[in-house]
Amino acid sequence: MGIIKAFNNAIGGTLGDQWLEVLEADRMDGSTVFTKGVKVRTDKRNNNRRGNSDLITDGSVIHVYPNQFMILVDGGRIVDYTAEEGYYTVKNSAEPSLFNGQFGAMLKDAFSRIKFSGTPSGKQQAFFINLQEIKGIRFGTPAPINYFDNFYNSELFLRAHGTYSIKITDPIKFYTEVIPKSETRVDINDINEQYLSEFLEAFQASVNQMSVDGIRVSQILSQAPTVSRYLANALDESWKSMRGFEVLSVGIKGISYDEESQKLINMRNQGAMLGDAAVREGYVQGAIARGIESAGSNTAGSAQAFMGIGMGMNAGGNFAAAASASNQAQMQRAQSAQAAGGWTCSCGQTNSGKFCSDCGNPKPAAQGGWVCSCGHTNNGKFCSECGNPKPAAEWFCSECGAKNAAGAKFCSECGSRRA
């Protein structure tokens, strides 16, 4: 039993004249991964009306559309298949034709392990597998994922949600290992419970790997391609090799932190802001001004309040004066350094080299930065408007400071991995 490819220009007239029936895939939408073939009557009086029976008789015609993989089965066992669009005639006396299409010899190897050699049972059916990208599969982490961020020097806990897509890469293996044999139509959401658990486990491992690679937690949203690569590696054996499908892309729609992690992030950001001498000076002067304003509105008497301020200023004046003098001195040093070609790090340290001598952060990009493909001008590694990464450029090793080519992943001088 097998199929023979028919000429497209001869099909229409033949079916129209003889009122034969042709089989097509039954209702295949964006989330359908598997469905049966059903008869579509070409009777001129009932054009495109679907019949009730899905069994195939000798001489039946099967119509395969683009991005569909059709398998011909007898009693649940595959007897022939095609990965090529077109019209095919079923012949009980024919040998399997095995139209491999885009898959090449890989399918023949898979078919040779499960092929059926019995006589036709009278229960032949056609089934269709969707070869398009299956998109919009939702995921969300049920519990917080730990993430150590070197910038914050803390163990943070985050939740993430989004969608991912898969693609069937070995339809014969997918049919034999994934599809329940009692089903005639399968939506990805019908079988996704087990695979979603495996995806979330691999997702956590991928996020942990990003932490090891030194990616800032605030950059995870813009690292979807990186997450996809990590997941593909983590799930390659269990999904692609054993089940015939793979992760194609991942889209992270949102990240949230638990309460303690959010407090740590806010505290670190405030500390980084106050590392700027000009900001610190404004904060000190503002605090003094707010104290004087509060004293003036004291209902117990402004004279007593200002007396308290005088005592407080006598007690804390040395601190305020010292803080202000320190801020002014740092600003002067920064201005002198910039005039001499130096720069001031976000931590407040004044430097002359390419990296901060106190915290190791690289020197900020020159004024004007780089222009993203969306038209936005940036100074960081990622576009603040659309999240696209900065175009490849020469980079300097964070360990030894050596200059390396844009495409190099490791330092040519000391062998350190590119940050």
Side-chain angles (χ1 to χ4, degrees):
M1 181 178 183
I3 54 175
I4 299 174
K5 196 164 188 176
F7 291 104
N8 290 355
N9 58 2
I11 288 294
T14 302
L15 295 177
D17 293 340
Q18 300 180 12
W19 295 348
L20 294 179
E21 293 181 326
V22 63
L23 286 89
E24 294 181 350
D26 182 29
R27 292 185 300 116
M28 182 174 285
D29 57 30
S31 61
T32 304
V33 293
F34 177 82
T35 188
K36 66 179 180 179
V38 294
K39 292 178 180 178
V40 180
R41 291 178 180 155
T42 59
D43 188 329
K44 293 180 180 179
R45 296 164 297 179
N46 297 289
N47 196 27
N48 292 328
R49 181 179 177 183
R50 295 182 180 272
N52 295 323
S53 175
D54 58 1
L55 297 180
I56 299 174
T57 57
D58 190 34
S60 296
V61 174
I62 302 174
H63 185 194
V64 181
Y65 285 91
N67 291 315
Q68 292 181 348
F69 181 84
M70 190 278 295
I71 54 175
L72 190 64
V73 302
D74 189 310
R77 300 292 299 273
I78 300 176
V79 294
D80 207 346
Y81 62 79
T82 179
E84 303 173 10
E85 61 181 285
Y87 291 90
Y88 297 85
T89 303
V90 177
K91 293 293 183 182
N92 288 340
S93 59
E95 292 293 323
S97 298
L98 311 180
F99 296 97
N100 295 295
Q102 59 182 299
F103 298 100
M106 178 198 72
L107 285 181
K108 286 189 176 181
D109 294 337
F111 177 76
S112 65
R113 293 190 289 270
I114 52 92
K115 64 182 179 181
F116 179 69
S117 58
T119 57
S121 65
K123 296 183 179 180
Q124 297 86 18
Q125 292 176 290
F127 292 102
F128 294 80
I129 294 173
N130 193 349
L131 298 181
Q132 288 184 313
E133 180 182 6
I134 308 299
K135 305 176 182 178
I137 308 172
R138 297 181 179 179
F139 76 90
T141 54
I145 300 174
N146 61 304
Y147 193 97
F148 184 84
D149 192 308
N150 289 320
F151 178 78
Y152 295 104
N153 195 29
S154 300
E155 191 83 32
L156 305 177
F157 293 87
L158 60 89
R159 282 186 169 92
H161 70 276
T163 60
Y164 67 97
S165 67
I166 65 169
K167 187 174 180 63
I168 298 169
T169 54
D170 188 337
I172 291 181
K173 185 172 295 182
F174 183 79
Y175 171 72
T176 57
E177 300 295 335
V178 176
I179 300 300
K181 296 304 176 284
S182 59
E183 299 293 334
T184 58
R185 176 179 169 81
V186 177
D187 187 279
I188 186 60
N189 297 307
D190 297 334
I191 57 174
N192 196 42
E193 183 177 358
Q194 171 66 29
Y195 305 124
L196 180 59
S197 298
E198 295 178 11
F199 174 87
L200 290 174
E201 182 179 348
F203 180 79
Q204 179 167 350
S206 300
V207 169
N208 290 339
Q209 184 60 49
M210 294 175 70
S211 171
V212 172
D213 291 345
I215 297 175
R216 288 268 300 276
V217 70
S218 59
Q219 297 173 349
I220 293 179
L221 280 173
S222 62
Q223 294 290 317
T226 302
V227 176
S228 298
R229 290 195 299 271
Y230 286 149
L231 281 166
N233 293 333
L235 294 171
D236 184 65
E237 180 63 28
S238 60
W239 281 16
K240 185 177 181 179
S241 301
M242 297 172 57
R243 291 157 179 165
F245 66 98
E246 62 183 31
V247 172
L248 204 61
S249 64
V250 178
I252 304 174
K253 293 186 176 181
I255 289 179
S256 60
Y257 308 97
D258 69 353
E259 185 176 355
E260 291 302 317
S261 296
Q262 190 64 61
K263 287 181 180 178
L264 286 171
I265 292 172
N266 292 340
M267 182 176 64
R268 175 64 177 83
N269 290 341
Q270 290 171 359
M273 181 181 65
L274 291 175
D276 187 318
V279 174
R280 282 202 311 274
E281 177 65 13
Y283 180 81
V284 171
Q285 298 296 339
I288 295 174
R290 287 191 296 272
I292 295 174
E293 181 182 0
S294 177
S297 61
N298 193 326
T299 58
S302 58
Q304 184 178 353
F306 279 111
M307 185 182 297
I309 288 180
M311 295 175 62
M313 291 185 69
N314 286 333
N318 290 336
F319 164 75
S324 181
S326 173
N327 294 337
Q328 294 291 346
Q330 186 171 349
M331 285 190 290
Q332 290 175 359
R333 288 195 301 271
Q335 291 170 359
S336 299
Q338 290 173 357
W343 57 280
T344 302
C345 181
S346 58
C347 71
Q349 178 68 25
T350 302
N351 305 275
S352 59
K354 295 176 179 177
F355 296 89
C356 178
S357 60
D358 190 42
C359 67
N361 282 337
K363 180 181 179 180
Q367 184 66 28
W370 56 278
V371 179
C372 179
S373 58
C374 72
H376 192 70
T377 302
N378 307 274
N379 289 320
K381 295 181 178 178
F382 295 88
C383 177
S384 59
E385 185 70 20
C386 68
N388 281 336
K390 181 180 179 180
E394 293 177 333
W395 58 279
F396 295 88
C397 178
S398 58
E399 298 293 331
C400 68
K403 184 177 181 180
N404 296 274
K409 295 182 179 179
F410 297 90
C411 177
S412 58
E413 187 68 25
C414 67
S416 296
R417 187 181 181 86
R418 182 177 184 176

